[in-house]
Amino acid sequence: GRTPLSLLPPPLHPHVARACIDARTPLVTASYACEGMLALSEDAARVGVPLLCEMGLDPGIDHMSAVRLLERARSDGWRVQGFESVCGGLPAPEVALANPLGYKFSWSPAGVLSAMEQPAQYKHAGKLVRVGGGTELLGSAKSLSAGALARAYRLEVLPNRNSLAYAPLYGLDGDEVHTMFRGTLRYEGWAQLMAGFRALGLLDVGARIRAGAVTWADVCADIDVPVGTGIRAARDGVGASASVKAVTADVTRVDSVSHALSALGWLTRGGSEPLVPSDTIAGAPPTPVSVRDAFCTLLARRLAYSDCAGDHDLVLMEHTLTLARGDEPGVERRLSSWLALSGGGGSGKPSAMARTVGLTAALGAQLVANAETRAELGCGGLLRPTVAAVYEPVLNALEREGVRFEEHLHEPTACMLSSARASADLHLRSTLSDLARVDPRPTVQHE
């Protein structure tokens, strides 16, 4: 039968889900299961309609690959004491160098900025850590200092929403689990730059665009943000900005505001960039409603991927498990699993983001559209891809499409000191039963 696949903005999913329940047809989405979807789970279960959510990259592949890794570790006799997972969609390094943000948008800038406003919580070294959204979240960014991805890229990681919500789904809600962390990857400097934009008022949804504003020079003049000038001139030069002076009175903000002013000059072409480009679709609003809306439009216009040769994107993901077993008291080992996938670059080649989100969602739809495989999922209701009936066939199919994880099981540090094999290639693929060489660096710390 037919299965709707909703890639609409998350607030619209419950409306689609209600129509699917009434029509007795399954639904698949690539978004987090919001409160509205959770509220419909009982109604969907009553009529046997599965609502399969979180079938994309993050969320989606992250959950499926994590749960499969955890289950394999447990079946081999390990006890899981810590879980860390990071994921990000980024431009390839050579593409990131071409703009001062080191970033391009493979999804809505409004969605990216909205995610930055979400609070986060996680568990680290046995302690609950809560981080507020916005400035506090951006200030919590840490350099990724260990693991396979850290050896190849200069990245930073920010906490991703409520990590603890997934502890029961991952079987990690026991007392012996001392760390439970899920994070978002960006190139180093992203959080500082976003904090600068925020300090300048460019993310303010309450600041309105005046009717006569035509270019970004007009907008910047209205919010007292100089464009096309450096931090010194903005603070101390002729016609200095009172708002920049006020913001940078806190010396810890000077660097982030300086970088933001430079990036804003590039984004707005020195202020000459029009608020509404000449190719705007007829019938669209004449100007964005708020400064934040206008900034999202600007980001989408200046930092979108193209079909030009060389405009590659990159999907990165890594899970790290801290493991122990009864026959090795007091000894911990780490199991890492990572994915690095590039795509795009012209000639109609799909981006890595399109492949990982699109294939996963399509495989989910295929799964629930088939009566035989749908029966394995149970009696309906809201589902996430953390059950074997979903993640096993989907991950197997993704591997056939080239979306494949590498693994590395680290020996404990004590063994490394006496091992003549310590300098062996750390990228060697291994299995749980065949211990690989040691990576002596500790796991990334989130304090």
Side-chain angles (χ1 to χ4, degrees):
R2 293 180 298 175
T3 298
L5 171 57
S6 178
L7 298 177
L8 295 171
L12 299 179
H13 289 325
H15 301 288
V16 179
R18 170 48 64 189
C20 287
I21 292 169
D22 293 341
R24 304 298 192 269
T25 186
L27 172 66
V28 175
T29 83
S31 302
Y32 283 102
C34 63
E35 291 298 325
M37 293 294 286
L38 292 169
L40 293 172
S41 181
E42 188 175 328
D43 289 350
R46 189 178 301 115
V47 295
V49 171
L51 305 176
L52 181 55
C53 300
E54 306 186 5
M55 288 298 292
L57 170 66
D58 176 0
I61 292 176
D62 57 344
H63 296 328
M64 294 186 287
S65 56
V67 173
R68 184 169 71 174
L69 188 68
L70 286 161
E71 289 305 308
R72 292 220 316 262
R74 291 176 181 124
S75 67
D76 204 55
W78 298 101
R79 299 194 319 275
V80 180
Q81 298 187 324
F83 173 85
E84 294 171 280
S85 177
V86 292
C87 178
L90 299 163
E94 69 276 13
V95 177
L97 288 171
N99 73 72
L101 282 80
Y103 192 75
K104 282 197 168 187
F105 290 89
S106 53
W107 59 302
S108 163
V112 173
L113 299 186
S114 176
M116 292 185 340
E117 300 300 320
Q118 300 298 318
Q121 63 176 347
Y122 58 93
K123 190 177 181 182
H124 175 68
K127 296 181 179 179
L128 175 64
V129 181
R130 290 191 174 93
V131 181
T135 300
E136 189 176 344
L137 184 78
L138 293 170
S140 72
K142 304 286 185 184
S143 294
L144 189 71
S145 58
L149 298 182
R151 290 193 289 270
Y153 306 95
R154 293 185 61 180
L155 301 166
E156 63 187 25
V157 58
L158 298 92
N160 183 5
R161 305 188 188 228
N162 180 11
S163 299
L164 303 183
Y166 291 92
L169 293 172
Y170 289 6
L172 296 174
D173 48 348
D175 292 337
E176 74 170 355
V177 178
H178 55 66
T179 297
M180 175 72 188
F181 177 84
R182 298 177 71 245
T184 299
L185 292 174
R186 295 288 184 262
Y187 288 123
E188 280 192 352
W190 164 265
Q192 184 189 59
L193 181 58
M194 290 298 109
F197 286 144
R198 185 181 178 83
L200 292 174
L202 293 165
L203 308 187
D204 187 358
V205 72
R208 318 308 277 183
I209 300 289
R210 63 180 171 87
V214 175
T215 67
W216 263 93
D218 299 328
V219 176
C220 290
D222 288 347
I223 62 175
D224 192 25
V225 171
V227 63
T229 187
I231 186 69
R232 289 186 179 180
R235 293 179 64 187
D236 307 315
V238 177
S241 163
S243 64
V244 171
K245 277 188 175 182
V247 167
T248 56
D250 180 350
V251 295
T252 63
R253 289 182 166 181
V254 172
D255 284 347
S256 66
V257 171
S258 177
H259 294 161
L261 287 173
S262 176
L264 183 63
W266 181 88
L267 285 167
T268 65
R269 305 179 199 271
S272 65
E273 186 75 7
L275 274 178
V276 181
S278 58
D279 58 355
T280 298
I281 298 173
T287 57
V289 174
S290 70
V291 172
R292 181 191 176 99
D293 292 337
F295 193 55
C296 286
T297 301
L298 179 67
L299 293 173
R301 192 159 69 237
R302 296 284 279 134
L303 294 173
Y305 285 97
S306 70
D307 196 34
C308 296
D311 204 7
H312 298 284
D313 76 326
L314 185 66
V315 162
L316 300 175
M317 185 181 297
E318 186 165 10
H319 309 303
T320 302
L321 309 185
T322 303
L323 305 171
R325 61 196 314 166
D327 57 358
E328 295 179 331
V331 176
E332 287 187 342
R333 300 175 189 259
R334 293 188 299 115
L335 172 64
S336 297
S337 174
W338 67 90
L339 169 72
L341 183 72
S342 64
S347 302
K349 296 177 182 176
S351 68
M353 184 63 70
R355 285 180 65 196
T356 51
V357 174
L359 284 171
T360 305
L363 289 166
Q366 188 178 64
L367 201 66
V368 297
N370 183 290
E372 183 177 340
T373 55
R374 186 168 70 235
E376 297 179 19
L377 301 178
C379 56
L382 188 135
L383 299 170
R384 291 184 174 97
T386 52
V387 294
V390 175
Y391 68 73
E392 286 292 359
V394 171
L395 288 176
N396 290 340
L398 286 172
E399 286 182 359
R400 291 193 292 271
E401 295 291 335
V403 182
R404 184 177 296 106
F405 283 78
E406 300 293 327
E407 291 178 9
H408 178 61
L409 182 59
H410 309 257
E411 294 182 4
T413 304
C415 295
M416 182 272 293
L417 296 176
S418 60
S419 174
R421 302 171 298 172
S423 61
D425 183 4
L426 296 179
H427 291 278
L428 181 65
R429 184 175 179 132
S430 65
T431 64
L432 286 169
S433 59
D434 180 18
L435 298 183
R437 310 304 186 252
V438 182
D439 180 352
R441 288 180 282 184
T443 55
V444 62
Q445 298 297 305
H446 310 281
E447 302 182 12

